Amino acid sequence: MSTDTGTAALAASGFLSPSGIEIAFLLVGVVTLGAAVLTVTTRQLVHAALWLVVALGGLAVEYLLLTAEFIAWVQVLIYVGSVVVLLLFGLMLTKAPIGRSPDADSGNRPVALAVAGAAAVALVWVVADAFRSTWIGVRGQVQGSTKVTGEMLFRYWVLPFEALSVLLLAALVGAIVLSRKGKEKD
């Protein structure tokens, strides 16, 4: 294949002619976004947890489409496997209401929507501003590889990771203590 043909092939694959992976990425992204919206809008707590599983699973599929297999499996094992199970376990231990709870609705939905919208705009603005002049080097190591991820995790993210694990452990112990207090009163 000559360089003129290769250049023409690269020019033809642009914004108006997406590849199959790009189409799959978009479709999975739409499903993930829908599941995330349903997670925060459903009134049943267990349904919210199950929609969270769908949203986090969609993110894992997005990582697979970006060829970051290690991150995708970590997403499945840690978030889908552990955090959601811990959430459901905490719900069962604290005997939280499973169905609709009238005392959980405060009538502040418009205010909450305005605050959430403002926070989303601020977050998008901060991230776009922070990465405006950042370029991704395509000649270096693959960013989703296990080596690069391990170096980044153990160099920069050890303290937040450990703090989160202690926080989740404290939440689980708190749920157990609350469930024991409920049994002593009965």
Side-chain angles (χ1 to χ4, degrees):
M1 176 161 71
S2 70
T3 51
D4 293 334
T5 311
T7 307
L10 284 175
S13 65
F15 180 71
L16 296 176
S17 60
S19 68
I21 292 177
E22 291 168 341
I23 292 170
F25 189 86
L26 181 66
L27 291 175
V28 171
V30 167
V31 169
T32 303
L33 179 65
V37 168
L38 285 170
T39 299
V40 297
T41 58
T42 187
R43 292 181 184 225
Q44 295 187 357
L45 204 51
V46 174
H47 289 176
L50 294 175
W51 282 116
L52 182 63
V53 168
V54 174
L56 294 173
L59 285 176
V61 172
E62 296 284 31
Y63 288 134
L64 281 175
L65 290 172
L66 291 171
T67 66
E69 293 88 6
F70 177 72
I71 302 294
W73 291 117
V74 166
Q75 173 81 15
V76 169
L77 289 173
I78 301 296
Y79 289 106
V80 176
S82 300
V83 172
V84 173
V85 168
L86 183 66
L87 175 70
L88 291 172
F89 190 59
L91 286 173
M92 289 185 289
L93 280 176
T94 58
K95 298 179 184 174
I98 301 298
R100 294 181 182 226
S101 177
D103 54 330
D105 290 334
S106 66
N108 291 329
R109 286 188 184 264
V111 175
L113 183 62
V115 170
V121 168
L123 181 65
V124 167
W125 179 71
V126 165
V127 169
D129 188 50
F131 294 105
R132 181 171 294 152
S133 62
T134 302
W135 293 91
I136 298 173
V138 293
R139 303 229 188 271
Q141 290 181 338
V142 179
Q143 291 297 316
S145 70
T146 309
K147 181 180 179 187
V148 173
T149 304
E151 287 175 359
M152 293 296 289
L153 179 66
F154 289 112
R155 183 172 295 150
Y156 301 110
W157 296 101
V158 170
L159 185 62
F161 182 75
E162 291 300 323
L164 180 64
S165 65
V166 169
L167 180 69
L168 289 173
L169 179 63
L172 182 61
V173 169
I176 292 171
V177 168
L178 287 174
S179 69
R180 295 282 179 175
K181 285 183 180 180
K183 288 182 180 178
E184 290 173 2
K185 290 180 182 179
D186 292 338

